[in-house]
């Protein structure tokens, strides 16, 4: 058997100081490269989905709940920039201070919106596990990602023009620095 106990040749080529991919344990969220974001507040592009992509999100009560939460986000070290709420997922841009953790903030967001979904009659589970995030590295990246995000409702046939989609906006103007 190979280093990990498998009987094929895949692991025989792995040097002893490495762990076989079959035995490796990954954390839920990989650690960030601190050298990329030292002396700056990071700006993230974040997406999270409803459980089994159920269309639960595009209604006014949830949008109002989101606006209330996102407006208070600076109290937790987060600033929400632009966002689009689609029927089954949310895209947003968020800036964090040094002491804020993205995972904690997204969990809080899901909890607040989950309470509104329960109040609106949608039973749990509401959310897929985890979320996607991308650390922005330039203002060009922010603008490119925003253009893609704001076109989402048009691509899905939900409206003719991006500005016609009612569940989008900008809480705080954010800039990549």
């Amino acid at each position: 058997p190979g280093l990990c106990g498998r009987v094929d040749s895949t692991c025989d080529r792995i040097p002893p100081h490495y762990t076989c991919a079959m035995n490796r344990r990954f954390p839920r969220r990989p650690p960030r490269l601190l050298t990329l974001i030292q002396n700056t507040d990071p700006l993230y592009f974040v997406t999270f989905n409803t459980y089994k992509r159920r269309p639960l999100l595009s209604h006014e009560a949830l949008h109002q709940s989101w606006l209330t939460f996102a407006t208070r986000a600076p109290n937790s070290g987060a600033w929400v920039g632009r966002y689009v709420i689609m029927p089954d997922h949310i895209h947003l841009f968020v800036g964090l201070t040094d002491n804020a953790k993205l995972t904690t903030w997204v969990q809080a967001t899901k909890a607040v919106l989950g309470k509104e979904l329960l109040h609106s009659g949608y039973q749990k589970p509401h959310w897929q596990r985890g979320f996607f995030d991308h650390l922005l590295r330039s203002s060009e990246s922010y603008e490119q990602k925003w253009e893609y995000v704001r076109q989402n409702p048009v691509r899905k046939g939900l409206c003719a023009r991006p500005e016609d989609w009612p569940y989008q906006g900008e809480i705080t103007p954010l800039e990549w620095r």
Side-chain angles (χ1 to χ4, degrees):
L3 295 173
C4 68
R6 290 179 56 194
V7 185
D8 63 22
S9 62
T10 306
C11 295
D12 291 336
R13 296 184 302 263
I14 299 174
H17 58 281
Y18 289 116
T19 303
C20 175
M22 295 300 292
N23 286 343
R24 202 175 296 151
R25 299 274 188 235
F26 293 101
R28 289 177 101 182
R29 303 293 311 157
R32 292 281 167 218
L33 299 174
L34 296 177
T35 56
L36 286 177
I37 59 174
Q38 283 179 341
N39 302 321
T40 184
D41 295 332
L43 179 58
Y44 295 97
F45 168 59
V46 177
T47 301
F48 51 94
N49 302 319
T50 60
Y51 181 71
K52 294 188 178 181
R53 301 299 293 256
R54 292 171 35 207
L56 310 176
L57 305 177
S58 54
H59 58 87
E60 192 55 35
L62 184 118
H63 190 211
Q64 289 305 314
S65 183
W66 160 250
L67 289 172
T68 300
F69 175 78
T71 303
R72 294 181 183 150
N75 296 338
S76 61
W79 283 265
V80 177
R82 297 168 178 162
Y83 68 91
V84 174
I85 300 173
M86 296 291 289
D88 61 355
H89 65 281
I90 297 176
H91 292 294
L92 61 98
F93 296 87
V94 62
L96 300 175
T97 60
D98 293 358
N99 55 354
K101 299 223 180 303
L102 185 61
T103 302
T104 304
W105 187 81
V106 171
Q107 287 172 342
T109 305
K110 287 180 174 182
V112 166
L113 297 179
K115 287 178 185 175
E116 180 57 44
L117 289 169
L118 283 172
H119 182 72
S120 297
Y122 296 105
Q123 297 304 309
K124 288 183 177 183
H126 300 132
W127 305 108
Q128 247 182 37
R129 268 183 78 167
F131 59 94
F132 167 82
D133 68 288
H134 175 75
L135 180 63
L136 297 181
R137 293 184 180 91
S138 71
S139 59
E140 180 180 349
S141 177
Y142 185 20
E143 291 305 318
Q144 287 172 339
K145 292 237 182 284
W146 171 241
E147 186 56 31
Y148 172 81
V149 167
R150 75 182 213 99
Q151 292 292 334
N152 239 4
V154 175
R155 279 193 303 277
K156 295 292 184 182
L158 300 171
C159 59
R161 300 174 311 151
E163 52 272 9
D164 295 338
W165 186 244
Y167 310 114
Q168 67 167 321
E170 182 175 41
I171 307 297
T172 304
L174 298 178
E175 292 182 16
W176 184 85
R177 295 176 283 224

